[in-house]
Amino acid sequence: MQVIKYAFQQHGDERGQLVALEEFKDIPFEIKRVYYMYDTGQGVRRGFHAHKSLEQILICIHGSCKILLDNGGEKKIVPLECPYEGLYVSNAMWREMYDFSPDAVLMVLASDYYKEEDYIRSYDDFLEYVKNQESGKAEK
Ligand code: T46
């Protein structure tokens, strides 16, 4: 599994740092939604789902956390600890977010609006979904 991590350009000067993100330039999709999570309790693990179509970029803009990515065949753990780094999370990718520092703010840029029907919330359904996608590809 290839992990795609972006190092965004930092515009730093004596006043500090600034990162600007533009769709199709710094972010590979149209940004239709931004959300962020903070005040995550110690030991909390979030996520536990995949998306059928949604693509996202996860940026821990303050503090740190870890992301588990699982494509149904392989798992990778990606630490996020820099406000200028973004992790691309494709569709059909199981994700779990954990090990949040008390000050962590995890911001997410999403390619679509919130749609409950895009979520795959059961791991067994996710494995089935990946299997069907792969057999669909093989038939083409
Ligand atoms: C994902 C990971 C990284 C909304 O009303 N609108 C929204 O855009 C979102 C994202 C959530 N919600 C509501 C739905 C739930 O009642 O906020 C509540 C918490 O959402 P959820 O339990 O889905 O949060 P996470 O942290 O498990 O997952 C979220 C995203 O939902 C998901 O797409 O990839 O962050």
Side-chain angles (χ1 to χ4, degrees), residues 10-136:
Q10 298 177 80
H11 303 273
D13 59 28
E14 66 285 353
R15 297 169 298 172
Q17 301 293 336
L18 185 152
V19 171
L21 301 174
E22 295 186 12
E23 57 190 15
F24 300 127
K25 191 173 154 203
D26 310 282
I27 303 298
F29 49 75
E30 183 185 1
I31 302 163
K32 287 202 176 155
R33 179 165 53 109
V34 176
Y35 61 90
Y36 48 92
M37 55 199 84
Y38 56 95
D39 275 355
T40 310
Q42 216 191 345
V44 165
R45 218 171 160 102
R46 307 187 61 125
F48 296 97
H49 57 254
H51 283 280
K52 293 175 194 161
S53 323
L54 192 73
E55 297 174 83
Q56 305 192 105
I57 299 270
L58 275 56
I59 308 167
C60 197
I61 55 173
H62 197 255
S64 61
C65 65
K66 290 196 178 82
I67 314 296
L68 170 88
L69 296 179
D70 176 349
N71 66 4
E74 208 183 329
K75 296 180 197 218
K76 286 257 164 85
I77 292 169
V78 185
L80 287 182
E81 41 209 19
C82 280
Y84 57 84
E85 274 184 359
L87 173 66
Y88 175 74
V89 181
S90 68
N91 68 318
M93 184 72 75
W94 190 262
R95 79 284 317 267
E96 294 171 22
M97 303 85 79
Y98 65 103
D99 233 358
F100 287 85
S101 61
D103 57 351
V105 181
L106 179 62
M107 184 175 80
V108 181
L109 311 179
S111 66
D112 206 352
Y113 305 114
Y114 181 71
K115 289 179 186 159
E116 183 53 43
E117 64 272 20
D118 192 62
Y119 283 73
I120 307 169
R121 294 195 180 273
S122 137
Y123 191 70
D124 287 344
D125 291 351
F126 164 66
L127 293 179
E128 190 64 30
Y129 186 83
V130 171
K131 209 169 88 186
N132 289 341
Q133 271 204 328
E134 276 162 11
S135 62

